[in-house]
Amino acid sequence: MRSAPRPRFLPLAGASIFSGLATLAISLAHAQAPPGSEAAPPPVYLRPSPMLAEELSPESKKGPTFVFGDRVSGQPEVRTSVQGQAELRRAATAIRADRIDLEESTQLVTTQGPVRIQTMGNLFLGTELQLRLDTFEGFFSQVDFRLRSGANGRAERIDFLGEQRMIAHRAVYTTCERDNEASWNPSWDFRAQRMYFDFDAGVGEAYRPVLRFKGVPFLAWGGSVSFPLSEQRKSGFLPPSYVLDTTSGFSLVTPYYLDIAPNRDATITPTLMSKRGLDVGAEFRYLEREYRGVLRTNFMPGDSLAGQDRWAYSLQHNSLLPASVAGGGLSYALNLNRVSDDNYWRDFPRQQNKALVQRLLPSDVSLNWGRGPWTVGLRSLTWQTLQSPDSIIVPPYDRLPQLTTRYAMLDVPLAGLGGVDWSVDTDFTRFQAQRIAASQINADRFVGRAQISRPMVWAAGYITPKVQLHATQYNFAQEWNGLNTAARTVPTFSLDGGLQFEREARFFGRDFLQTLEPRAFYVYTPYRNQSALPNYDSAENSFNFASLFLENSYIGNDRIADANLVTLGVTSRLLVPSTGAEALRLGVAQRIRFADQRVTLDGSVPPVNSDRLSDLLVGASVNWTPQWSMSLTTQINPQQGDSKRSAIGARYNPTPYRVVTASYKRQQAITSTDNGSQQIDVGWQWPINDLWGDRGQARAGEGLGGRRWYSVGRLNYSAIDGKLVDSVVGLEYDGCCWIARAVLQRSTRGLTTTNTQIMFQLEFVGFSRIGNNPLSTLRSNVPRYQVLRDQVSMPSRFTNYE
């Protein structure tokens, strides 16, 4: 029968304990000294801490050694032997065996019988151990191991080269869990004659390894290959990707990752396409205290299908200089995007930089400075428009350059008015475009806007009167409508006010705080004839709850809509008293016009809006439980009595890895040539095992458990055209330590062109993903998609603590 554990040595351990008790006793004695005696020093308190340090200090590693066992013998400071359920502990290392011998002069530990070592979260079991405690150097025979990261394996021999490094000979490595030790056969394993482990760097290296899946050799290497032991970055080849699509045929992608520095890295991606040739892509990322950015490039010499070189580049850079350098906050930003030809977006739909598969590519350079109430900005913006014969785009105007200034003051005391807010904004822009593509002349435009408001706010509401003055001057590069210059000055007055009422309420057995929030917004802008002015950047605002309470119904500076109207709206909400969460929101708003709006975007004579009542906007959102949410927005024409635009959405998310979303969007036809639109969108991620009652249990980063099928996808259907516009449908299988994915994606490119691709992936959890990576497709297309077996944090060194 095992005796009670007892510390045997070192004497310093006992001395430290008695010293601490003596100090505590002295402190208590001083605390209880009678009045008039010598002033007592501050007492010493033991401060508990709920945290255990992940990293040990050098001092703690040199701490005392404790031994336990049925029998302890030896010679002090020479040799110690522990027999019968022997155990030795020092710092983060614990050794158990039938017998443990320690030579104190060399700190060499030898064992007999089955041996078990736990150190820094790693667990080793073997037959024979020789180990120096001070340097953690030695060897271990016939070893089974479980690492801190959750990986398992075995080796004929392990040579320890310190606490953070070791070499395993004739080794097997896997992230599959152990079940029955006698019959344990992992679904996949990585075998090699020799494996080097560097836990500090989070990297392993195997010599002539073989990757096996279900007992069948899957991949083999003739030389050495590195593999990850943690989520830390490392240089090397990433798993190859295999893509099959209707645009470029079969593609083989072999990326190489460069870990340049903790704040800099690069990825070089050669892609061999069966129908086109070789494309070489590169991505360089950097992050500094004062700036950050990413540069992406692609080059394909001699595209076999297009008969020309294809290239693309994209640079995003942001920088903020210290105020001491620029006399204020100085920042600049670069957003540069260019491709070789008009068909690039169509031919390379899987381009990693999504900005380069759009048809309007900006190249934007901006410089901004701010100090106190001043803000100054300088900008240069040009566009590359990728045209398509079946869908022509009118190119936007370049801004070469644009200079803006703003001076704003808040809560400024003004005699008789109290605290007022006022500001002055200016904008000088030179608009340029090719005359053959643009319908207007190039020009310089100067815009000035001054405004002053007096917010009056109290607990139950607010009132804000505001006065604005807009002034615009145009200088045309050539004569425009018989003019070389044009000008416009427009004043605007607005009055915004709202109230907020609250009461305690109870609905369906739940307590809420119910609000009632009416709002009224009046705008008066006199009519100014703007039909002779060009339109470079103005467009009609979307009809929503935010735009209904704006002074101008147009965005941009080229059109200031005349207005004599009031917008009335009311919102009611149900709030959870304990958290403030919004369980229900209902809102309605409508404009009432007292005069026709005569200013139009194209300068036409008929009024753009002569209806006294605008469309009625109704919105609602319900988040009654965390699992369910619904939303509704509809725009109703009061004259016709029907809905011009509607959007309905719902989400059901009962547990992690279970989600279904659905939405319906309808847009009424605006013109005789427009058919309108009706879009039905459905997305989901759901375990198929639920069909036969196997629901599993959700765990962070571990899915719902192993041996489970998942269906995932998103469908976008056009009811007007009677066809699927975009679709993503896939299956996932979670095999505990491996995951298989198959995803089919069909995308529409233009009015008549589609691209279909099939993606397969076999993921060895915590080791590698082989095949085309569909995860980016699922993340960007399926709402609330969650990655299976996605490690959320590095395991603690106390994971395998004994």
Side-chain angles (χ1 to χ4, degrees), residues 312-328:
Y313 70 82
S314 175
L315 171 64
Q316 285 79 43
H317 175 91
N318 292 277
S319 178
L320 177 63
L321 299 180
S324 58
V325 176

Side-chain angles (χ1 to χ4, degrees), residues 737-755:
C737 59
W738 61 277
I739 298 172
R741 296 183 178 92
V743 176
L744 171 69
Q745 181 181 21
R746 182 180 182 272
S747 304
T748 300
R749 302 290 172 183
L751 297 179
T752 58
T753 305
T754 61
N755 178 69

Side-chain angles (χ1 to χ4, degrees), residues 23-271:
T23 302
L24 182 60
I26 293 172
S27 301
L28 293 174
H30 279 292
Q32 300 174 1
S37 61
E38 183 180 353
V44 178
Y45 296 104
L46 299 178
R47 185 175 60 185
S49 174
M51 298 187 64
L52 298 174
E54 289 291 341
E55 301 296 333
L56 295 177
S57 63
E59 291 76 15
S60 63
K61 295 181 181 180
K62 298 178 182 178
T65 302
F66 300 91
V67 294
F68 310 87
D70 296 337
R71 179 182 176 186
V72 179
S73 62
Q75 184 177 354
E77 299 184 1
V78 177
R79 180 185 304 105
T80 301
S81 296
V82 186
Q83 301 179 25
Q85 303 184 65
E87 181 177 348
L88 181 149
R89 288 181 176 270
R90 175 186 286 184
T93 300
I95 303 175
R96 289 191 174 98
D98 290 342
R99 173 172 178 151
I100 299 176
D101 295 307
L102 171 64
E103 296 289 340
E104 295 193 33
S105 60
T106 61
Q107 292 292 290
L108 179 65
V109 172
T110 57
T111 64
Q112 293 181 9
V115 188
R116 189 182 186 95
I117 302 178
Q118 188 275 330
T119 179
M120 297 301 293
N122 301 318
L123 181 63
F124 304 88
L125 298 88
T127 58
E128 181 184 0
L129 172 69
Q130 289 190 16
L131 181 69
R132 290 191 57 178
L133 284 179
D134 53 350
T135 62
F136 210 83
E137 295 176 346
F139 72 88
F140 204 2
S141 300
Q142 304 300 320
V143 184
D144 290 331
F145 59 84
R146 177 178 176 82
L147 303 183
R148 172 178 174 177
S149 62
N152 293 281
R154 61 169 62 102
E156 289 190 10
R157 173 186 168 116
I158 288 181
D159 294 331
F160 294 108
L161 308 178
E163 289 184 341
Q164 298 295 335
R165 289 177 294 277
M166 70 180 191
I167 295 178
H169 301 273
R170 288 172 288 281
V172 178
Y173 176 88
T174 183
T175 58
C176 296
E177 290 288 342
R178 291 180 179 271
D179 38 33
N180 189 318
E181 287 291 334
S183 60
W184 181 57
N185 185 24
S187 297
W188 71 268
D189 59 53
F190 194 54
R191 303 186 174 212
Q193 290 293 317
R194 184 173 66 254
M195 289 188 188
Y196 171 73
F197 295 82
D198 188 338
F199 300 109
D200 191 33
V203 176
E205 186 172 356
Y207 177 69
R208 300 182 65 181
V210 176
L211 179 62
R212 305 197 322 164
F213 180 62
K214 296 297 184 179
V216 179
F218 193 73
L219 288 174
W221 293 263
S224 62
V225 174
S226 61
F227 56 95
L229 299 177
S230 67
E231 296 297 318
Q232 297 184 27
R233 306 179 309 177
K234 68 180 185 66
S235 297
F237 281 101
L238 301 179
S241 298
Y242 311 99
V243 185
L244 180 63
D245 64 47
T246 56
T247 302
S248 301
F250 176 79
S251 299
L252 173 63
V253 185
T254 56
Y256 185 85
Y257 178 77
L258 287 169
D259 184 16
I260 302 172
N263 61 335
R264 298 174 186 268
D265 64 8
T267 305
I268 302 173
T269 309
T271 302

